[in-house]
Structure formats: structure tokens, C-alpha cells
């Protein structure tokens, strides 16, 4: 789908939404031509008080349009988020306007459905709930906000509330000098079509894995020193990605050894290594994880 942006450059969020709403479309940024079958023009205008976005959506002869405004308040950083939200919401609402106009056969051919999580993208739909609870809102208010702001249906909002409330309880248990440790392995065997993570397929970047592991180990050791100096206490450890399953057993062993030597993990109730791709799992790798006390895969 051709995307034309006027008055903003919110590529990331629009491309994430495009993947969810139009799973077969790839974003391009060439100028829109009269013969184009799929394009969307998203224009933003700002006053001191708000950001107003208009969307024009053309899809295989069907058209939709929407206008959406979001107030701009707070710091520059907060305003950036409000702008991004306004563009994403406007794109989503234009899609909702388009969807009922499309014939069944076209929807089926293009794999278009109404997204079960409203306009949310990514893998943490409970995040807005946890944030709202941290701001002091009641669970009911947090859920209402998720439904109103992100157009999440009741059933999914209830699920997000359940999950977000658990996350909030875990956060509340952290004391002042407690920290969470995260190690990212930004490589995957191949790239999944729906992926929103920072990751490279090893087909394209195999030669980077070994130098990355070396640099990572140096960083783990430096991080350990910093944590000791500042009397911080790790409470959780999570290795994610990408998918850490692409590491060889020796690379996994080297990283986890550096980790154990650099940090005191005795206060971590859970040590997690994410292996999201079954094609990367071997008995040897699982044995390495077990030997380092990993409690959750
Ligand atoms: S395995 Fe995970 S991180 Fe890697 S491409 Fe697939 S979804 Fe993205």
C-alpha cells in the first residue's frame, strides 16, 4: 500500500498498524498515482492545543475517510506520543470506515478481519492497563480507558485487565534498589511476517552473531560492575530477542556464565530464556539452560 504523509513522519506506528489491518500489504512511499489500487494519505496539522489528522484511504475501488484530533499537552516527549497516537487512531478509524464497504470475497482474498485488540499493535496489550494503575486509576477506570482510547472490545479488555493487574502487583513488589535485567539477542532464523521486534534474520547477518556475543559479554561484565557499585539488586532476569534459540550451545553457555559471574541472581524468583521458535530448540541447548539454573523457557 502506498503511504503518503503530510505534516508528520510517523512511519513506525503506521507500518505496524498496516501489518495488523492489511496483512498482505507492504508499505511503499512513492507518489500516489491515479491508477493505484491501495493507498492512504495521512495528513497532520497542529495548533498549540491539539494535533488534527485526516486519513484518506483508497482500496480496490472503495474509499474511506476519517478525521481525528488529539490534545497536545505536557513535555515534548509526551506530545510526541500524543501525535503518534492521533495518526495511528485516525488510520485505524479510516479502516473501520472502509471495512463494512468491502465485499466478502475481497476481504477473504486480502485476509482482512476486524482486529480483536482494536488499534493496539505489538505484544503487550496490557501495558496501558499497568500504566493506568500506576497512575492511581481504579481497575474499572483503567479498563474503560483501554476500551475508549484504543477501541478494544470488552472481552479482550477484561483479559488485559487481568494480565495488567498481575504485572502491576509484580511492579509494586520491587523495592527502591531493585532492578530487572534484560539481555537481547536481536537475531532470528528468519523473520516472521507479523514481527514488531528489533531483529535481523541470521540468513542475512550470520557473521554478526559471534562479534555480537563477544560485545554482549563485555557489556554484561561492565553492567555487573555498575550494579555492584550502586548496590542494586536484580529481581528478574529475562533473555529475549529476536530469539536466543539461534545461539549455539557454546554461545549460550558463555553468555549465561558471564551473567552468573557478574550478577547475584539469588533474589530472582524466575530466570527466563525466550525460545519462541521451535526450529531452534535442541536437547543440547536445553541442557545448557538447565545447567545454568534457567527456570522458565
Ligand atoms: S522469532 Fe520472534 S523476534 Fe524473531 S522474527 Fe519471529 S516474532 Fe520476530
Amino acid at each position: 500500500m502506498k503511504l503518503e504523509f503530510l505534516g508528520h513522519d510517523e512511519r513506525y506506528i503506521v507500518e505496524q498498524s498496516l501489518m495488523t489491518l492489511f496483512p498482505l500489504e507492504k508499505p511503499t512511499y512513492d507518489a500516489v498515482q491515479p491508477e493505484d489500487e491501495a493507498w492512504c494519505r495521512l495528513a497532520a496539522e497542529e495548533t498549540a492545543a491539539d494535533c488534527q489528522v485526516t486519513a484518506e484511504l483508497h482500496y480496490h475501488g472503495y474509499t474511506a475517510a476519517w478525521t481525528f484530533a488529539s490534545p497536545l499537552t505536557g513535555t515534548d516527549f509526551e506530545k510526541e506520543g500524543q501525535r503518534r497516537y492521533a495518526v495511528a487512531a485516525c488510520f485505524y478509524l479510516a479502516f473501520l470506515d472502509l471495512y463494512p464497504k468491502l465485499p466478502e470475497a475481497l476481504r477473504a482474498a486480502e485476509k482482512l478481519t476486524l482486529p480483536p485488540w482494536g488499534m493496539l499493535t505489538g505484544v503487550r496489550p496490557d501495558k496501558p492497563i499497568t500504566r493506568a494503575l500506576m497512575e492511581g486509576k481504579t481497575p474499572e477506570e483503567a479498563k474503560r480507558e483501554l476500551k475508549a482510547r484504543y477501541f478494544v472490545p470488552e472481552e479482550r479488555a477484561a483479559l488485559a485487565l487481568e494480565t495488567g493487574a498481575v504485572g502491576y502487583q509484580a511492579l509494586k513488589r520491587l523495592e527502591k534498589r531493585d532492578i530487572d535485567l534484560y539481555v537481547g539477542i536481536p537475531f532470528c532464523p528468519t523473520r516472521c511476517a507479523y514481527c514488531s521486534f528489533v531483529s535481523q534474520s541470521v540468513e542475512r547477518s550470520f557473521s554478526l552473531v559471534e562479534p555480537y556475543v563477544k560485545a554482549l559479554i563485555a557489556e554484561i561484565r561492565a553492567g555487573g560492575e555498575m550494579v555492584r557499585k550502586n548496590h542494586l539488586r536484580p529481581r528478574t532476569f529475562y533473555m529475549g530477542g529476536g530469539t536466543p534459540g539461534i545461539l549455539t550451545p557454546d554461545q549460550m553457555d558463555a553468555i549465561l556464565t558471564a551473567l552468573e559471574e557478574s550478577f547475584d541472581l539469588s533474589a530472582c524468583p524466575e530466570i527466563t530464556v525466550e525460545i519462541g521458535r521451535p526450529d531452534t530448540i535442541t536437547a543440547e541447548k536445553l541442557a545448557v539452560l538447565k545447567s545454568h539454573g534457567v527456570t522458565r523457557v
Side-chain angles (χ1 to χ4, degrees):
M1 175 179 286
K2 279 190 181 168
L3 298 173
E4 190 175 305
F5 295 163
L6 303 172
H8 69 95
D9 193 19
E10 298 294 347
R11 282 190 183 208
Y12 180 77
I13 189 64
V14 177
E15 290 184 9
Q16 293 303 308
S17 306
L18 185 71
M19 271 198 279
T20 310
L21 303 174
F22 298 93
L24 301 187
E25 297 287 338
K26 296 271 175 270
T28 65
Y29 292 91
D30 305 328
V32 171
Q33 303 297 329
E35 67 277 12
D36 287 335
E37 288 210 312
W39 60 269
C40 183
R41 180 176 293 131
L42 284 159
E45 274 183 26
E46 266 181 52
T47 65
D50 70 5
C51 173
Q52 181 148 332
V53 184
T54 54
E56 284 172 74
L57 187 52
H58 287 238
Y59 198 67
H60 297 276
Y62 298 87
T63 61
W66 208 265
T67 300
F68 186 85
S70 171
L72 293 174
T73 56
T75 63
D76 285 351
F77 180 71
E78 285 165 330
K79 285 179 188 166
E80 240 175 69
Q82 291 152 6
R83 234 172 251 130
R84 195 177 314 124
Y85 165 73
V87 171
C90 194
F91 185 40
Y92 174 75
L93 291 167
F95 171 82
L96 285 194
D97 186 40
L98 176 77
Y99 186 82
K101 300 174 185 170
L102 303 177
E104 257 326 311
L106 179 59
R107 286 188 208 158
E110 299 298 325
K111 297 195 183 326
L112 305 185
T113 51
L114 289 173
W117 286 98
M119 66 170 277
L120 289 175
T121 60
V123 294
R124 291 281 315 280
D126 60 319
K127 224 169 163 181
I129 293 270
T130 312
R131 199 171 41 221
L133 294 174
M134 283 169 71
E135 284 166 4
K137 301 203 168 110
T138 65
E140 217 23 68
E141 283 167 346
K143 189 172 86 171
R144 207 176 310 130
E145 191 177 284
L146 188 76
K147 289 168 67 176
R149 189 169 160 79
Y150 299 102
F151 315 103
V152 177
E154 167 63 31
E155 195 191 336
R156 295 295 170 106
L159 177 60
L161 176 60
E162 203 181 309
T163 318
V166 173
Y168 176 59
Q169 290 308 325
L171 266 177
K172 275 206 320 194
R173 280 209 307 265
L174 295 180
E175 290 173 18
K176 197 157 178 252
R177 304 197 83 78
D178 285 351
I179 55 162
D180 299 323
L181 290 176
Y182 178 81
V183 165
I185 307 294
F187 301 99
C188 294
T190 51
R191 192 123 172 100
C192 303
Y194 54 82
C195 182
S196 61
F197 293 102
V198 178
S199 179
Q200 282 281 327
S201 114
V202 277
E203 284 169 329
R204 284 174 48 202
S205 51
F206 181 73
S207 63
L208 296 177
V209 178
E210 188 56 34
Y212 181 81
V213 168
K214 281 208 176 93
L216 179 61
I217 288 174
E219 195 165 315
I220 287 173
R221 297 203 186 279
E225 211 176 302
M226 192 175 76
V227 161
R228 277 195 303 279
K229 256 193 210 149
N230 290 288
H231 308 290
L232 303 175
R233 180 172 70 152
R235 292 304 310 278
T236 58
F237 172 72
Y238 192 103
M239 176 147 77
T243 184
I246 60 100
L247 297 171
T248 64
D250 283 349
Q251 288 167 337
M252 260 182 199
D253 185 50
I255 292 171
L256 291 169
T257 302
L259 191 86
E260 282 161 6
E261 290 173 357
S262 308
F263 296 95
D264 173 6
L265 299 178
S266 59
C268 296
E270 204 175 72
I271 296 183
T272 305
V273 174
E274 179 186 310
I275 307 198
R277 290 277 291 260
D279 49 344
T280 64
I281 302 175
T282 65
E284 204 185 341
K285 291 180 194 177
L286 292 177
V288 170
L289 299 184
K290 193 170 176 197
S291 73
H292 285 282
V294 170
T295 52
R296 181 167 164 250
V297 166

